[in-house]
Amino acid sequence: MTRFDSVVTGGTLVIPGTGEIRGDLGIREGKVVTIADDLSRADTDVRVDAAGKVVLPGAVDSHYHLGIYRDLATDTESETTSSLVGGVTSVISYFRTGQHYLNKTGPYREIFPEVLNTVAGHSKVDYGFHLAPMTAEQITEGKIIADSLGFQLVSNQPQYSMLWRVIEGEVVPAARAAGMSQIVFSPIAQGALTGKYRPGQPPPAGSRATDEKGGAQFVQRFLTDDVLTRVAKLAPIAQEVGLTQAALAVAWVLQNDNVAAAIVG
């Protein structure tokens, strides 16, 4: 009988160009060498029971960003090529309307087909998208679609901090009505709420504000003397409650009862 280093049994295999099939995998020297109906009796060192699970080829990168800094088609080709070299064969790319990506705002039913058409033929790996509703209208649109397909939307991923409270007026009420919460990013406003930036002083060497190839363009809007003077007034409040200014900023975000979590990395 053929010997394998490991065998994966009982799973639903996703085969590029074919789709989902029921099958078992035989693996030797880091490669899938056999796909068969039943390898439950195969000679192997490791046996993995994948019953009730989906088995995808290669590694999966579940939080990708196609088209955030460059043309979507060009970025798709280069980024997925790099992923493939690293062993990633499936990616799930974040997409939102507004700044970056396609620089368009409106209903996803109008914008998302353009995304799919632009990416088509350029990806070197399997791909999908997870969409971030950026407006109350998009949340309502998403709920209608989800209801029609029989599932519940559970969370949104907007920017939110003491310095960026845009979602409070319309997005949060719409999310509550749709039964959704928020998993927010940038709760310390790209570092502006940490206290490291001082009014009238250059940004510290090595900080995000000095990284012209990375975060400088995002944090600059918060680095005016007026904003930084106001941020400095948070220092004694943080000290009084025994927190750093960064921790205070995250705690402030989490006090909103529609915020389920904050992404701090």
Side-chain angles (χ1 to χ4, degrees), residues 7 10 17 62 70 79 82 90 99 104 117 129 145 149 161 172 176 191 194 197 208 220 241 262 265:
V7 169
S62 62
R70 297 184 293 173
E79 292 300 303
S82 297
S90 300
Q99 188 181 17
K104 293 184 177 180
N117 290 336
F129 290 89
I145 294 171
L149 296 174
S161 71
V172 167
R176 283 198 179 100
T194 63
Y197 302 106
R208 173 167 292 191
Q220 286 298 332
V241 295

Side-chain angles (χ1 to χ4, degrees), residues 76-245:
T76 298
E77 191 140 352
S78 65
E79 292 300 303
T80 58
T81 298
S82 297
S83 292
L84 193 59
V85 171
V88 173
T89 57
S90 300
V91 302
I92 304 175
S93 185
Y94 172 88
F95 182 85
R96 63 173 171 79
T97 58
Q99 188 181 17
H100 305 298
Y101 304 97
L102 291 180
N103 286 311
K104 293 184 177 180
T105 296
Y108 271 117
R109 64 180 176 273
E110 297 177 4
I111 295 175
F112 192 53
E114 182 178 350
V115 175
L116 296 178
N117 290 336
T118 303
V119 170
H122 294 283
S123 179
K124 303 300 178 63
V125 301
D126 295 331
Y127 60 90
F129 290 89
H130 55 102
L131 307 180
M134 303 304 293
T135 66
E137 290 76 16
Q138 288 174 350
I139 290 173
T140 301
E141 177 188 21
K143 178 171 172 50
I144 292 170
I145 294 171
D147 288 348
S148 70
L149 296 174
F151 66 90
Q152 170 67 44
L153 297 177
V154 295
S155 68
N156 186 26
Q157 188 180 314
Q159 181 179 179
Y160 185 49
S161 71
M162 291 185 194
L163 300 180
W164 190 263
R165 302 176 61 176
V166 176
I167 66 171
E168 292 178 349
E170 296 182 356
V171 169
V172 167
R176 283 198 179 100
M180 295 170 59
S181 63
Q182 316 296 320
I183 298 178
V184 301
F185 70 90
S186 198
I188 59 175
Q190 306 292 326
L193 286 167
T194 63
K196 72 172 69 175
Y197 302 106
R198 305 289 186 180
Q201 298 181 20
S207 65
R208 173 167 292 191
T210 64
D211 183 6
E212 295 300 331
K213 294 183 179 180
Q217 60 180 310
F218 296 110
V219 71
Q220 286 298 332
R221 62 183 167 181
F222 298 128
L223 300 187
T224 66
D225 283 351
D226 178 57
V227 170
L228 294 180
T229 297
R230 294 169 185 265
V231 169
K233 294 179 180 179
L234 296 172
I237 299 174
Q239 185 175 14
E240 181 180 347
V241 295
L243 296 174
T244 64
Q245 283 186 241

